[in-house]
Amino acid sequence: MRLAFSTNAYMRFPFEEAASRIASIGYEGLELMADVPHAWPAGLLDGPKRAIREAMDRHGLRFSNVNAFMMNAIADRRQPYWYPSFIEPDEGYRSVRIDHTRRALDLCAELGAPHITTEPGGPIAEGQSRQEAIDLFVEVLKPLAEHADRQGVLLLIEPEPGLLLETTDQYLEVAERVGAPSLGLNFDVGHAYCMAEDLPTQIAKLAPLTRHYHVEDIAETRVHHHLVPGTGAIDFPGVVDAIRQTGYDGWVTVELYPFVDDPDDAARGALGLLRPLVSGPSTAGRPAP
Ligand SMILES: O=C(O)C(=O)CO
C-alpha cells in the first residue's frame, strides 16, 4: 500500500506548487485533479501537460489517480462540482460530462496514470425513476469503459452519499451490467462510513472489484464532510488492516478538499496517522499499550 494526496485540497495553488508541497510533506504519490485550476482536460495544451510531467519527475512523485469526478470548471449553480452528471435528463448537458470523462481518460493515458475516478450517477432528477436513472447510467458507461480499454487505463466509479450509487453494494449491479474489465470501484472509505457500511466486511467483499481507495475521516454523526484522518470516528487501524488482508498493494489517496485554507497542515496530519499504519505490522484489534 502506498499513500498519495489529492491536489483537490490545493485548489488555491498552481499545480507545480501543489506537487512540491505534497512531495516535501512526504507522500509518494499524488492524485491529479482533472479540473480547474490544475488539469481541466478540455483546456490543457501540450505545454502545461509537459509541465505537469516535469513537476512529477522533479519531485519524485507518481500518479495514484486522475480525479475526474469534480467539475468545478462548469460551476453548476445547484452544486459546484457534481453536475452535469451521467444521468442528467438533458442530453446536451449530459454530454458535457461524457466528453469530459473521455478527455480525462485520454489525459490519464498520456500522463501514464493508472485510472480515473468519476461520479456514480448524480442525484436522481425530479420525475426520473431510480430504474430509469440506473439504465441510463449503464448505457452511458458502456462506451466509456470501451474507451478506457482502448487507452489501456481504468474507469473507476466512486459511490457517494446523496448520489445515484450511494453504497459500495449498489456498485455491484452496475458492474455486472456494464461487464467490462476496464470498469472498477473506487472504494471511498469515508463515504462508506457515512452510509453506515461495515467497513472491514465491505472492504473484503468488494476487494475483487476495488482498484483504488480514497480515505478521509468522518464525524460520528456520519455527515458527509471530509475530515483529516484521526480527527473523526473511523477506525483507521481496522480499515488499513482490512485493506491489507485483501492483499491490495496499490495506492490509497487521502482526499481533503475542504481544507483549501491550510492543505499542508491537513496533508501532514493525515500522513502522521496513516504512514505508521500502512508501513507497520497490523495493529488492528490490539489493546493500547
Ligand atoms: O464529493 C466528494 O466527497 C468526493 O469525494 C469527490 O471525489
Side-chain angles (χ1 to χ4, degrees):
M1 243 179 285
R2 285 161 296 163
L3 292 170
F5 196 77
S6 180
T7 67
N8 62 14
Y10 284 91
M11 289 267 287
R12 304 215 176 122
F13 295 84
F15 178 77
E16 150 67 32
E17 180 73 20
S20 160
R21 286 169 180 246
I22 289 170
S24 66
I25 287 167
Y27 286 90
E28 282 181 69
L30 164 155
E31 173 183 271
L32 175 66
M33 184 165 63
D35 196 357
V36 289
H38 297 151
W40 175 242
L44 202 62
L45 301 175
D46 285 345
K49 245 182 257 177
R50 211 170 25 249
I52 289 175
R53 273 198 225 96
E54 286 168 1
M56 293 294 282
D57 289 345
R58 192 162 47 251
H59 298 297
L61 286 166
R62 306 261 312 277
F63 289 109
S64 64
N65 179 46
V66 172
N67 186 329
F69 190 128
M70 294 186 156
M71 295 179 77
N72 290 288
I74 302 296
D76 187 289
R77 274 189 304 173
R78 291 169 287 179
Q79 199 271 359
Y81 62 80
W82 281 340
Y83 298 104
S85 82
F86 288 119
I87 58 167
E88 207 65 55
D90 182 283
E91 193 181 342
Y93 200 31
R94 184 163 75 236
S95 71
V96 174
R97 167 65 73 175
I98 296 169
D99 291 348
H100 165 66
T101 306
R102 203 173 278 117
R103 287 192 190 100
L105 288 165
D106 295 344
L107 176 66
C108 178
E110 254 185 277
L111 294 176
H115 34 66
I116 74 164
T117 46
T118 190
E119 62 106 21
I124 297 176
E126 233 180 275
Q128 194 176 38
S129 74
R130 180 171 178 80
Q131 197 51 52
E132 278 164 4
I134 296 269
D135 291 348
L136 181 55
F137 189 40
V138 167
E139 283 323 300
V140 162
L141 286 179
K142 283 179 183 168
L144 286 172
E146 281 168 22
H147 190 75
D149 187 47
R150 276 193 298 276
Q151 289 289 24
V153 296
L154 301 174
L155 170 62
L156 309 186
I157 308 299
E158 177 178 329
E160 170 158 332
L163 304 185
L164 179 63
L165 306 185
E166 298 189 282
T167 66
T168 52
D169 273 345
Q170 286 171 346
Y171 171 69
L172 292 168
E173 179 192 348
V174 169
E176 194 184 331
R177 286 183 57 190
V178 175
S182 57
L183 193 78
L185 174 68
N186 182 43
F187 194 122
D188 189 305
V189 168
H191 295 176
Y193 181 81
C194 292
M195 296 306 297
E197 298 189 33
D198 183 85
L199 294 175
T201 304
Q202 290 307 102
I203 287 168
K205 179 174 173 187
L206 275 299
L209 303 177
T210 301
R211 302 285 174 255
H212 181 242
Y213 291 89
H214 267 171
V215 292
E216 65 275 346
D217 217 337
I218 296 287
E220 209 177 344
T221 56
R222 300 191 192 267
V223 170
H224 180 209
H225 177 74
H226 291 206
L227 299 173
V228 176
T231 66
I234 294 181
D235 166 24
F236 277 100
V239 163
V240 170
D241 213 46
I243 297 175
R244 184 182 283 119
Q245 279 176 30
T246 67
Y248 180 77
D249 195 26
W251 291 103
V252 172
T253 299
V254 182
E255 197 193 26
L256 293 176
Y257 59 85
F259 290 83
V260 288
D261 287 336
D262 196 351
D264 288 353
D265 200 44
R268 238 181 258 113
L271 195 64
L273 181 94
L274 293 170
R275 188 155 52 188
L277 297 178
V278 162
S279 50
S282 166
T283 52
R286 283 201 206 141

